[in-house]
Structures are given as structure tokens and as C-alpha cells.
Amino acid sequence: MFTGWKLSVLGIIIVGAAGITTSAVGLIEPWKAAALFILFVLFIGALELLDRISRSRSKKDKA
């Protein structure tokens, strides 16, 4: 199934498609959709970074 980075990439693709669709339909301005997409990507990136840091610290503690 989708776990780890695969789930993050899937989420980014879904949010990007939703942003493009809503801006094309006229529900939101394109610049707002782009800004929200960038914020979402940064949020997902930060979560992935925190997960990697957490895993590397737990490996060091076990060793």
C-alpha cells in the first residue's frame, strides 16, 4: 500500500490536481491556488524531514 514518501507524493499530486481544477473552474484565483499548493508541499516536506530525524535518532539510541 502507500506508506512513507509514496503517500506524500500521492497527496501532493491530489492537492495539485485539485488546485488546478478549482482555478480552472473559477472557484479560486490561480495565484491563491499556487500559494496554497506551495504551503502544502513545504508542510509535507517538513513532516518527512521530522520523520527522518526521528528514525535516525531512534537508530542511534538502540545502538
Side-chain angles (χ1 to χ4, degrees):
M1 221 39 221
F2 291 108
T3 58
W5 66 270
K6 293 177 187 177
L7 184 63
S8 299
V9 170
L10 181 66
I12 289 171
I13 291 170
I14 290 171
V15 169
I20 291 170
T21 303
T22 56
S23 64
V25 173
L27 296 175
I28 190 171
E29 290 86 12
W31 65 271
K32 283 185 180 178
L36 289 172
F37 178 73
I38 290 169
L39 286 175
F40 181 75
V41 169
L42 289 174
F43 176 71
I44 294 296
L47 288 177
E48 287 292 324
L49 182 63
L50 287 172
D51 187 44
R52 285 187 185 184
I53 290 171
S54 173
R55 278 191 265 138
S56 69
R57 285 189 179 171
S58 66
K59 287 180 183 177
K60 287 180 183 178
D61 291 340
K62 291 181 182 179

